[in-house]
Amino acid sequence: MCRHLAYLGPPVTLRSLLYDPPHSLVRQSWAPRDMRGGGTVNVDGFGVGWYPGTGRPGGDDGRGGAPVRYRRAGPIWSDPTLPELAGVTTSGAVLAAVRSATVGMPVQESAAAPFAEGRWLFSHNGVVRGWPDSVVELAGGLPVRDLVTLDAPTDSALLWALVRHRLRAGASLAEAVTTTVRQVAAAAPGSRLNLLLTDGVSVVASVWGHALSVRADDGTALLASEPVDDAPGWREVPDRRWVRAGPDGVHVGELE
Ligand code: GLN
């Protein structure tokens, strides 16, 4: 299973999130602690998305606060560019992921999270069981245009299209994530649906079939598949919950 993380708080370097911690995301790509049978290493691509400038809507960066992404199809540890980039790039809102492709799914840059549109960044850790037949009917509710322009022929890309469809219709981050997880879980029992979605101000995650830990204090929140260090304050979110972290603190709700 892929590993992902999201950070909200005072601007920090990408390096301090991706490389510096003892159990950083880069380390998790080759030595994850907890894969639950979903592969062994996370070698099939990676991505990091961050909000430049103030990171706030209508921010001062000339991009309306939209995030920037850096993704590649290979292992994060062998990327020659990211260490330098991460050392000089600071942001107060970051979403990053390392990918272990599900058997049968292509290894290509466009299949690596974060998926993005406008201010949104999205990641999925897990698998849709019975893919693709189990979710054909759900997918049929999407505009044909969305289906013929899926980022990649993967379960994660379809989940993103389902979440994005709701966001475009005005749903909150939490509504988009929780409704999608419930519907896909009903259509494809046994799926692992660990989603991560941010707009740069708040982040919402679902815990469905795999682990998620949260560390939050004084205006800083870090959500990660595996804690990046042994510092006190990490809290593991129980299965079948959703979490929202943002300016109003951390909220945990039930998914069923
Ligand atoms: N099934 C997704 C993919 O192949 C996510 C994989 C994972 O979480 N390991 O891209």
Side-chain angles (χ1 to χ4, degrees), residues 111-129:
F115 300 93
E117 179 174 283
R119 288 192 52 76
W120 302 308
L121 292 173
F122 172 84
S123 167
H124 164 229
N125 156 20
V127 61
V128 171
R129 296 290 179 214

Side-chain angles (χ1 to χ4, degrees), residues 89-160:
T89 304
T90 57
S91 176
V94 179
L95 192 156
V98 290
R99 178 173 181 233
S100 168
T102 296
V103 173
M105 297 198 185
V107 176
Q108 58 196 49
E109 183 175 314
S110 63
F115 300 93
E117 179 174 283
R119 288 192 52 76
W120 302 308
L121 292 173
F122 172 84
S123 167
H124 164 229
N125 156 20
V127 61
V128 171
R129 296 290 179 214
W131 170 264
D133 300 309
S134 56
V135 281
V136 163
E137 203 178 313
L138 259 185
L142 288 172
V144 173
R145 191 174 194 290
D146 291 3
L147 294 173
V148 298
T149 57
L150 272 191
D151 290 273
T154 64
D155 53 359
S156 303
L158 179 71
L159 290 171
W160 165 230

